[in-house]
Amino acid sequence: MRFGINLPFKRQDGSALTVKDLMARANLIEDVGFDGIWVGYTVGRWNTTGVDSLEWLLAAAAGTERIELGTAVLVVPLRYPVE
């Protein structure tokens, strides 16, 4: 069996995470033995600004060495073609 986990979008107090925070959290997830880190797509889901799932995964990749990374959902028509 393989286990994956989602990265948080905010700290417990509601403040924004920094890239350094994301890298540290991703490294911790890898160190405790999870097989994957997955990020969902947030565009249009809430009344607040969401995160870009690909940027979130880029930060996770910078903080890890071997864990699997992926998007749980990626709505391609909502992205710019250049991306």
Side-chain angles (χ1 to χ4, degrees):
M1 183 176 292
R2 297 169 43 98
F3 290 100
I5 192 168
N6 198 348
L7 281 172
F9 295 127
K10 299 177 183 178
R11 291 189 182 109
Q12 288 182 344
D13 65 3
S15 62
L17 293 169
T18 65
V19 172
K20 196 172 189 174
D21 293 335
L22 287 170
M23 291 171 61
R25 179 66 59 96
N27 185 267
L28 175 64
I29 290 169
E30 183 177 57
D31 287 347
V32 298
F34 279 93
D35 298 302
I37 296 173
W38 294 83
V39 178
Y41 206 61
T42 60
V43 173
R45 291 191 63 198
W46 299 296
N47 293 332
T48 61
T49 304
V51 300
D52 185 297
S53 55
L54 298 181
E55 289 178 7
W56 230 245
L57 290 171
L58 179 65
T64 59
E65 295 179 11
R66 63 190 173 282
I67 197 166
E68 180 180 79
L69 303 172
T71 58
V73 175
L74 185 62
V75 184
V76 176
L78 294 179
R79 302 191 71 84
Y80 292 108
V82 176
E83 295 176 335

